[in-house]
Amino acid sequence: MKWYKYNSEHVARKLAVDIREGLTEKQAGERLKKFGPNVLEEGKGVSWLMLFFKQFQDFMVLVLLAATLISGLLGEYVDAIAIMAIVLMNGVLGYFQERKAEKSLAKLKELSAPQAHVLRDGQWKKIPSADVVVGDVIKMTSGDRISADVRLIQVKGLEVEESALTGESLPVTKNVHEIGREDVEVGDQHNMAFTGTLVTRGSGTGVVVGVGMDTAMGQIATLLVNTERVQTPLERKLAELGKILIITALVLTALVVMLGVYQGHPLYNMFLAGVSLAVAAIPEGLPAIVTVALSLGVQRMIKRKAIVRKLSAVETLGCASVICSDKTGTMTENQMTVKQLFTIEDSLTVSGEGYDISGGFYEGDHKVDTQDSPVVQQMLLYGALCNNASITYKNERYVLDGDPTEGALLVAARKASITLETLASYKIVHEIPFDSDRKRMSVVIEDEQNRRFVITKGAPDVLLPRIQYVRTESGHVPLKARDEENINRKVHTMADHALRTIAICCKPLKQGVHYSDVDLEKDLVFIGLAGIIDPPRKEVKQAILECKQAGIKTVMITGDHAKTARAIALDLDLMPENGRVVEGSEISRMSEQQLASIIDDVYVFARVTPEHKLKIVKAFQRQGHVVAMTGDGVNDAPAIKASDIGVSMGRSGTDVAKEASSLILLDDNFATIKSAIHEGRNIYENIRKFIRYLLASNVGEILVMLFAMLLALPLPLVPVQILWVNLVTDGLPAMALGLDKSEGNVMKQPPRSAKEGVFARGLGFKIVSRGIMIGLVTLIAFILAYQGQEERLLYAQTIAFSTLVMAQLIHVFDCRSERSVFARNPFGNLYLLGAVISSLLLLLVVIYYEPLQGPFHTTDLALRDWIGIIGLSAIPTLLWGYSKK
């Protein structure tokens, strides 16, 4: 259908929808069932079978399988079956790890899916865009990404950026008029809005005419959703590390094999031992464990009300040194309340909090009725008319739909008994929407007598130059210098008390005269000021303190008056008494270099535009900071994208801000940023923990074999034992380390450098030193048990096998702390305790369960053997633990 050809009545009739009421839920359900969800078709995912076989594609595993085949051909069936079983178990573990990561990421995608504002059963509600159906009436406002193809039926200054569809970057002005021509190109269909395009200005309502693959975007961009996953910096570092480890392991393994053959060991035995050692030495499970650790961390962040859109943000969070945060809604409750009213003749205080309409008006301690003050009553009425907000009572509380400032004005009007019926007697015939550049909004109103007048509300400093008159009880009088002085003084007084000020003005319009938007906002009549407060969130003060202790500077960015921002900042202990506040006008006059030179002394940026935000981000980055920047609007997107960690608001944020961000705050709360940084630091530290554990264990395994070859000793470990150690002692405890809680001082350390390597802060030394010690105690245990007697070889190999496993299981507790094994409670990670106990039980099974003794080359051990094993195994951990205690 060429929907652009038809008027709204024809479209509604054709789609069987009542434009005033929308579809019923029953109709929507039937259409969803019939036509399917509003999504683009995705490419086929990897089947579970392919994912399973993928686990055996690693080069070293293929070599091991080849070695197993050779064992079978040579008649070593027991060894072949045992090795095959271990490889299979390793593959199953890897499969479930990848499935877990996939499910985590799928859940993440589901949570971060965009929403649409639809009219169902006469009520506006937000639903997932996938549930939008043909015939739905939807509305869109500045910043929304449109969820379906829509025939517009009402617009107010609507402009849409369609570059995703047409390649044209300039926004297109939309209208509702039908187009009589045939074959009109998508870019020229000005009465249509399309899936995936972005509202940059104004608002509009329309009827959905196409969903999913039946949209313009669906026809030409089927591959849009098949986004390839990009490696994170950490994964790249680990991939490089893996290559180095493979080369090192292969060289050392080849050395062990050559030394063994040189000393008379059978070539087949040494080949199998070498392959097993190489497989054990290379931590092929590391990427999977890292992915699982990141995805589990993402799940924990979701519980803390933060959605991570890009996994790279998890590691970047640990490097953040500056948080540039919005004030309104992030540091404050975003439940604005009118606390003071000012006219040229009256000054009143208002009681009540939030969106509860209970409360009253006071002059000093005396309660007054606003009906006795016509100017105040008019200001409250006009504040409610020049307003797009609505407040409903749901679940025993008042819920705002719209801008919080407008909500505060609406509540104040309700407190003065200005009802919805009162407002319904006035008609809005034209609107000039608010935007962050203009800092004002205007509406043309027609009353019951068909008289028209304009109401303008906005920032006092923006409106004062446009005011010619003031409203008094006797009528409109010219604005005098002393009136302007009084208004400015009141603005400053309110700002000193952290009150945001909104000026409300009006102007009568002459019948039959056409006014341009510019003319409408000239020669205004000042009615009054409303002083509005948005109280700080209770938890933010503590969050800022914790960030300060973590070496992270918090900077407040707001469009509010400098004095208001300063008052809130001081209340939150965000800045010292002598901390610097910079206004947007100053930023405009500075170059980026000049701003960078003073930026470390600035704590508050007031009266800023979104363009200033970008300049602030770049100035901080110029000074070497890693910047987290919050934002919620379309124009915030460049600053969010330019920052190291873009943070958008889940509740108030526009779709484009969310798309540009790495992190979405579901509750729009500053404290959630702090929690996310805490979690990000912990995830990175946990990754370091299991790298430390895996590599130290692998170094120990290689060195015990190398030392034995150098000393012309028999093999201390047989291939199947090496593989068993690799599976049992490496896999489970390493996974459990990824679930470790953070150390108590994780938020009392300075941010790590973004350039910090994986082995920084002494990690390389810890890996090598502990690995050498593990290898030495295992070799000592073997020598003491072997005593140069061939008949004791099986017993000595069992002792060495047990010592190596026990040394690694004790060493895992040392990996929980950067300082010492004694720095943390061993019962602090019950997952790790469970993993260690499971590994220990499995070790006992292969030692004492007779059917497994043959395949694993083990024999029974006595109690005195275990006393010696535990004593030697504890030396590497206790030696370093006491040296650091």
Side-chain angles (χ1 to χ4, degrees), residues 707-756:
F707 292 156
M709 294 302 98
L710 290 171
L711 295 172
L713 291 169
L715 290 176
L717 301 165
V718 295
V720 72
Q721 289 173 343
I722 295 170
L723 292 169
W724 183 254
V725 170
N726 188 44
L727 173 68
V728 176
T729 66
D730 285 4
L732 292 174
M735 281 292 296
L737 278 175
L739 296 167
D740 209 11
K741 292 178 182 176
S742 61
E743 291 195 65
N745 65 345
V746 72
M747 286 298 282
K748 293 178 182 173
Q749 301 292 324
R752 64 181 172 85
S753 167
K755 296 177 182 177
E756 177 181 292

Side-chain angles (χ1 to χ4, degrees), residues 657-668:
K658 290 174 189 175
E659 279 194 17
S661 66
S662 311
L663 191 72
I664 302 174
L665 306 183
L666 292 178
D667 57 358
D668 294 9

Side-chain angles (χ1 to χ4, degrees), residues 859-870:
T859 187
D860 291 352
L861 298 177
L863 180 61
R864 66 175 182 276
D865 295 323
W866 282 107
I867 292 170
I869 288 166
I870 292 169

Side-chain angles (χ1 to χ4, degrees), residues 320-528:
S321 57
V322 171
I323 302 172
C324 294
S325 174
D326 277 337
K327 175 180 74 67
T328 305
T330 310
M331 291 186 166
T332 58
E333 293 284 359
N334 204 15
Q335 282 210 349
M336 289 196 167
T337 310
V338 174
K339 300 304 286 184
Q340 289 188 25
L341 297 174
F342 168 80
T343 68
I344 290 298
E345 296 172 326
D346 288 300
S347 188
L348 304 179
T349 58
V350 188
S351 66
E353 297 293 336
Y355 302 134
D356 188 342
I357 61 171
S358 61
F361 301 86
Y362 294 83
E363 193 168 14
D365 296 329
H366 176 62
K367 189 170 184 179
V368 298
D369 186 347
T370 55
Q371 302 284 352
D372 299 330
S373 179
V375 182
V376 171
Q377 191 73 4
Q378 186 184 46
M379 178 172 69
L380 292 170
L381 172 64
Y382 285 6
L385 286 171
C386 186
N387 201 309
N388 287 320
S390 63
I391 290 176
T392 52
Y393 191 71
K394 292 180 183 176
N395 302 323
E396 299 183 353
R397 69 189 186 100
Y398 289 94
V399 178
L400 169 73
D401 182 9
D403 180 75
T405 302
E406 294 190 339
L409 294 171
L410 205 56
V411 170
R414 294 287 291 276
K415 288 176 182 176
S417 303
I418 296 170
T419 63
L420 293 175
E421 288 75 19
T422 308
L423 300 177
S425 62
Y426 297 88
K427 180 183 175 184
I428 298 175
V429 295
H430 180 59
E431 178 182 327
I432 310 173
F434 174 88
D435 69 46
S436 52
D437 292 324
R438 289 167 19 86
K439 292 190 173 70
R440 62 186 181 274
M441 168 190 177
S442 297
V443 289
V444 175
I445 301 289
E446 186 175 271
D447 65 15
E448 290 177 313
Q449 285 77 44
N450 296 324
R451 293 174 302 190
R452 291 191 176 187
F453 55 95
V454 65
I455 303 170
T456 301
K457 75 172 192 299
D461 58 329
V462 171
L463 293 188
L464 264 175
R466 300 168 179 273
I467 293 170
Q468 289 292 317
Y469 305 93
V470 294
R471 173 85 159 85
T472 67
E473 287 196 20
S474 57
H476 299 168
V477 298
L479 176 74
K480 297 173 184 174
R482 70 168 181 273
D483 295 328
E484 191 167 345
E485 197 176 301
N486 282 340
I487 293 168
N488 279 321
R489 189 185 303 115
K490 193 61 182 179
V491 167
H492 291 130
T493 304
M494 288 184 179
D496 286 339
H497 291 88
L499 293 174
R500 182 179 179 183
T501 48
I502 296 290
I504 297 174
C505 304
C506 69
K507 182 172 75 171
L509 301 177
K510 294 177 181 177
Q511 291 281 0
V513 177
H514 174 74
Y515 293 86
S516 68
D517 284 359
V518 174
D519 292 335
L520 286 172
E521 295 179 338
K522 282 181 179 177
D523 304 327
L524 298 172
V525 180
F526 173 80
I527 304 174

Side-chain angles (χ1 to χ4, degrees), residues 465-617:
R466 300 168 179 273
I467 293 170
Q468 289 292 317
Y469 305 93
V470 294
R471 173 85 159 85
T472 67
E473 287 196 20
S474 57
H476 299 168
V477 298
L479 176 74
K480 297 173 184 174
R482 70 168 181 273
D483 295 328
E484 191 167 345
E485 197 176 301
N486 282 340
I487 293 168
N488 279 321
R489 189 185 303 115
K490 193 61 182 179
V491 167
H492 291 130
T493 304
M494 288 184 179
D496 286 339
H497 291 88
L499 293 174
R500 182 179 179 183
T501 48
I502 296 290
I504 297 174
C505 304
C506 69
K507 182 172 75 171
L509 301 177
K510 294 177 181 177
Q511 291 281 0
V513 177
H514 174 74
Y515 293 86
S516 68
D517 284 359
V518 174
D519 292 335
L520 286 172
E521 295 179 338
K522 282 181 179 177
D523 304 327
L524 298 172
V525 180
F526 173 80
I527 304 174
L529 294 174
I532 303 172
I533 191 166
D534 183 13
R537 291 178 183 261
K538 296 177 182 67
E539 63 274 23
V540 168
K541 194 170 187 175
Q542 180 62 27
I544 289 171
L545 175 63
E546 289 182 36
C547 286
K548 197 180 293 183
Q549 291 170 342
I552 303 167
K553 179 181 179 179
T554 304
V555 176
M556 180 192 289
I557 297 181
T558 178
D560 271 356
H561 196 283
K563 286 189 176 182
T564 308
R566 181 181 176 82
I568 294 283
L570 288 171
D571 188 30
L572 290 170
D573 290 340
L574 181 145
M575 65 183 287
E577 279 289 345
N578 61 346
R580 188 163 179 181
V581 178
V582 170
E583 294 196 59
S585 55
E586 293 178 67
I587 298 173
S588 298
R589 293 193 296 269
M590 291 183 192
S591 67
E592 192 181 298
Q593 192 169 354
Q594 287 172 322
L595 182 58
S597 67
I598 64 153
I599 204 159
D600 284 331
D601 299 322
V602 181
Y603 292 84
V604 174
F605 291 95
R607 311 301 283 167
V608 298
T609 64
E611 287 73 22
H612 293 141
K613 281 190 173 186
L614 185 59
K615 203 168 181 179
I616 291 165
V617 168

Side-chain angles (χ1 to χ4, degrees), residues 240-288:
E240 291 164 11
L241 172 64
K243 290 173 186 173
I244 295 167
L245 291 175
I246 287 171
I247 294 167
T248 306
L250 289 177
V251 169
L252 289 173
T253 301
L255 185 60
V256 169
V257 172
M258 287 188 290
L259 282 169
V261 172
Y262 176 73
Q263 289 167 6
H265 292 285
L267 175 61
Y268 161 72
N269 286 352
M270 289 312 302
F271 169 72
L272 199 56
V275 171
S276 304
L277 193 59
V279 170
I282 298 166
E284 67 277 352
L286 190 59

